[in-house]
Amino acid sequence: MTVRAYGAFSCDNPLEPMIIERRQPGAHDVEIDIAFCGVCHSDLHTVRSEWAGTLYPCVPGHEIIGSVRSVGDAVTRYRVGDVVGVGCMVDSCRRCASCEEGLEQYCQHGFTLTYNSPCADKPGHTLGGYAQKIVVDENFVLKIRHPKEQLAAVAPLLCAGVTTYSPLRHWQAGPGKKIGIVGLGGLGHMGVKLAHAMGAHTVAFTTSDSKRADALRLGADEAVVSSKADEMQKHANSFDLILDTAGASHNLDAYTALLKRDGVLCLVGLPGTPHPSPEVGPLIFGRRSIAGSLIGGIAETQEMLDFCAEKGIVSEIERMPARMIDSAYDRMERGDVKYRFVIDIASLEP
Ligand code: NAP
Ligand code: ZN
Ligand code: ZN
């Protein structure tokens, strides 16, 4: 079946309306009418070929909320009309040790990303959620339990939410822990909300003085403007975990110096150009680590969605029609987003 979408034919063209093909739902598939799709900085990195390997035409989007239009004969978990989500993955090998542990994002044979992964469907690679419909195996579909009026603001949980939730859980954010979140963008503002909800003492680091008040409103106990050396110095040797969501390369030493002994700087931001090589001294003298973390598995994504539904957590969003995507990307590049753009997919109608 053909559906309307928004995507790019090359890295130096703006996104434009296009018609794409979706497979007919197979026995295990769920056909989803998409209502909302969040705009992640990864979409921008991919469409503009800031990372290697973008396949064109490129239709990004991996923060998808919609309702079930039809289900295949073997589908047991979803029914027509259910409100569902799709995040960053639509398949994995399902057999390797990582998949068996529910860590499909670390699949040893390679997972299938929601967009830009090779697949059997036309045009030979996956196309994401800036589109009217998507067809996904039920094992990669999530249940949404938030109230209907919050659905646009739930979309960003599917990537920004789980990408911050997973490392916060892995490194046991909670009461008695001091957690830093670097970068108050899509991921970072969710990191602040989630670390706060988990009961940790939460400190937001921003390059934007203007976001200081917001950081506190979103749940941070303290906000630090990272260019101010005296403010940074006050936090030396004090963090259990700092989650770095910055989408641009920057000096990591400023943050490793703030970790306690055995503290961890976990990188989730993946800039198009590498960070300057960090000093090893502060790592050795203090047994500190620099780590990384990739999205979250399907079971953990469901756990995060349920946690957020129970606590009333959603993203702070700016809704926009699809034709505004390029200007949204430009604003995101400038750090001018509060705090996630979400595309109203109804705007794809002619
Ligand atoms: P975003 O909304 O653009 O937010 C990034 C924030 O980083 C900006 O708002 C800004 O916040 C801060 N920042 C920008 N330049 C900076 C610099 N030079 N130094 C320090 N901070 C800077 O982006 P996003 O959607 O949250 O994504 C962030 C990054 O995570 C991207 O690289 C994306 O590809 C990656 N990502 C990774 C995963 C994963 O699984 N690991 C998943 C999704 C996304 P302030 O104004 O507060 O400084
Ligand atoms: Zn993302
Ligand atoms: Zn696997």
Side-chain angles (χ1 to χ4, degrees):
M1 63 189 129
T2 56
V3 303
R4 289 178 190 280
Y6 237 82
F9 287 101
S10 79
C11 67
D12 40 22
N13 276 346
L15 278 79
E16 56 187 288
M18 54 174 74
I19 302 289
I20 61 167
E21 188 77 27
R22 293 297 191 196
R23 67 172 180 262
Q24 287 303 325
H28 298 277
D29 281 337
V30 178
E31 175 190 356
I32 300 164
D33 285 332
I34 301 178
F36 303 105
C37 187
V39 177
C40 178
H41 207 115
S42 303
D43 302 354
L44 187 167
H45 289 310
T46 305
V47 169
R48 297 191 175 169
S49 275
E50 293 177 0
W51 295 334
T54 304
L55 304 164
Y56 294 94
C58 174
V59 175
H62 58 204
E63 294 183 336
I64 299 168
I65 293 284
S67 59
V68 175
R69 164 62 70 103
S70 73
V71 294
D73 293 343
V75 168
T76 57
R77 308 219 309 261
Y78 297 98
R79 285 192 301 210
V80 172
D82 285 354
V83 177
V84 294
V86 178
C88 302
M89 295 179 286
V90 290
D91 207 352
S92 70
C93 89
R94 309 185 198 195
R95 291 185 310 275
C96 73
S98 294
C99 286
E100 286 199 341
E101 280 183 64
L103 297 168
E104 299 88 354
Q105 75 275 35
Y106 303 114
C107 174
Q108 283 137 261
H109 301 119
F111 48 33
T112 306
L113 290 169
T114 303
Y115 61 85
N116 207 49
S117 276
C119 72
D121 299 348
K122 283 183 190 164
H125 58 270
T126 49
L127 301 173
Y130 299 2
Q132 289 174 313
K133 275 182 198 287
I134 193 165
V135 177
V136 179
D137 185 291
E138 70 164 330
N139 290 301
F140 288 79
V141 175
L142 287 310
K143 284 191 176 35
I144 302 297
R145 299 189 164 94
H146 284 76
K148 202 163 181 264
E149 59 279 7
Q150 291 187 325
L151 293 181
V154 173
L157 301 183
L158 274 307
C159 174
V162 72
T163 302
T164 48
Y165 182 91
S166 182
L168 288 171
R169 282 283 189 233
H170 183 76
W171 279 283
Q172 293 156 359
K177 294 284 179 76
K178 184 172 173 183
I179 308 288
I181 306 287
V182 180
L184 213 57
L187 267 57
H189 92 289
M190 287 311 309
V192 167
K193 288 189 177 206
L194 291 168
H196 171 74
M198 290 173 188
H201 184 87
T202 305
V203 181
F205 293 93
T206 178
T207 59
S208 315
D209 217 342
S210 61
K211 293 184 186 169
R212 197 195 283 270
D214 273 359
L216 300 174
R217 178 179 61 80
L218 294 169
D221 296 286
E222 301 176 67
V224 173
V225 175
S226 51
S227 56
K228 301 199 168 158
D230 55 327
E231 285 189 40
M232 294 288 278
Q233 181 53 34
K234 276 189 205 146
H235 292 276
N237 303 306
S238 67
F239 283 92
D240 296 284
L241 171 70
I242 298 178
L243 195 58
D244 187 340
T245 75
S249 71
H250 62 100
N251 176 7
L252 302 180
D253 301 334
Y255 296 105
T256 53
L258 305 189
L259 298 172
K260 323 175 152 151
R261 194 199 69 226
D262 294 323
V264 175
L265 171 64
C266 174
L267 306 177
V268 289
L270 185 56
T273 49
H275 295 302
S277 180
E279 290 289 344
V280 299
L283 304 178
I284 292 171
F285 292 88
R287 201 162 55 188
R288 302 170 171 116
S289 315
I290 297 179
S293 181
L294 180 65
I295 50 173
I298 295 298
E300 193 170 43
T301 306
Q302 189 64 63
E303 178 188 307
M304 175 277 309
L305 286 165
D306 296 346
F307 175 85
C308 289
E310 189 192 311
K311 305 243 176 208
I313 297 173
V314 292
S315 173
E316 308 284 303
I317 61 162
E318 247 186 81
R319 270 170 80 160
M320 60 162 192
R323 64 173 187 282
M324 301 293 289
I325 291 171
D326 272 285
S327 56
Y329 282 180
D330 292 341
R331 282 185 52 196
M332 193 156 64
E333 205 127 57
R334 296 197 297 271
D336 173 24
V337 45
K338 289 186 173 173
Y339 279 91
R340 196 58 137 187
F341 291 108
V342 173
I343 304 169
D344 234 317
I345 294 298
S347 67
L348 287 177
E349 294 293 345

